[in-house]
Amino acid sequence: MAFGQVTAKVVHTLINIVFCVIAIVLIMVGAWLFSYYYDYDRVASDSSTLIPACVISASGIFLLLVGILGFVVTFKETKWLTLVFLVALSLLFVALVVGSVLAYIYRKDIDAAVDKELRNALEAYVTDDFVRKEIDMMQTKLECCGVDNYTDWLNTTWYDNQTYPNVTYPASCCENRNCTYEQPDSNLHKDGCYWKVKNQFIDHLTVVGCVAIVCAAVLLFGMICAAVLMTRRSQDVGYNVLVEPDGLRV
């Protein structure tokens, strides 16, 4: 076996290990993103906000399968398996490049999606217990109030049903849920939730784009190694020992 082929196999094995490690990390990150979006299910119900979790999870699962196939290819060294592996890498490479581009494109769609879903959630605060718990959790956790600020609550059904006119926002808008409803309310969260939720979604899309670029670079290197193995395999042509009638070998 040629030295170049041995080196390519060793590097290919290391690349497969890296593939599997990255795949596990991607699956874990995808699961974390889905759990995060579960906490903001009403806000993240728009499809554009779920793209990061979907792209990362799907890429992780497919990359894990490709990594396992890579180990089989490395030790079996069959040409058709190597070709399948190379095609799979190429498809995943294209998917990751497209995913990184989509992550950048969908950044601007987050604005309208978050604003729309937040305002819908505020309106459903009275009628939907799940939404109420989610909004209260969000305002407490992110230390925010309303969409742009606390005055957004004045245009909701929740405020229309209030007995006391000075109660202009829910208790979750205040530090430790202790609202004084005085002007100014020292415990009130001054910032709206729109920017904080939007920035978190934007950060996630940025992470998806960066991860996609890094993984695409690793995949490109793996494709080169697979191509080297295929080329070396095709060049390994054996020879037969011919014996002439007089006993001489050719």
Side-chain angles (χ1 to χ4, degrees), residues 76-151:
K76 287 291 185 180
E77 290 191 26
T78 56
K79 189 173 181 179
W80 71 271
L81 269 179
T82 306
L83 181 60
V84 171
F85 178 72
L86 191 57
V87 171
L89 284 182
S90 302
L91 292 176
L92 186 56
F93 176 80
V94 172
L96 287 174
V97 172
V98 172
S100 63
V101 173
L102 288 177
Y104 178 79
I105 293 175
Y106 275 105
R107 284 168 62 95
K108 56 185 178 183
D109 292 340
I110 291 296
D111 292 355
V114 172
D115 184 87
K116 173 186 174 183
E117 298 299 335
L118 271 176
R119 295 188 187 280
N120 290 341
L122 261 62
E123 188 58 33
Y125 188 82
V126 174
T127 58
D128 193 323
D129 290 339
F130 178 79
V131 172
R132 183 173 66 254
K133 292 178 182 178
E134 190 173 278
I135 290 294
D136 286 338
M137 182 273 297
M138 179 184 66
Q139 293 188 144
T140 301
K141 183 178 179 180
L142 299 183
E143 297 183 350
C144 59
C145 184
V147 181
D148 298 314
N149 53 55
Y150 75 94
T151 60

Side-chain angles (χ1 to χ4, degrees), residues 26-37:
L26 289 177
I27 293 172
M28 292 176 63
V29 172
W32 174 79
L33 284 176
F34 273 116
S35 67
Y36 172 84
Y37 290 135

Side-chain angles (χ1 to χ4, degrees), residues 198-217:
K198 172 194 167 183
N199 288 338
Q200 290 199 19
F201 286 148
I202 292 294
D203 290 342
H204 293 163
L205 284 174
T206 302
V207 170
V208 169
C210 293
V211 169
I213 292 174
V214 172
C215 290

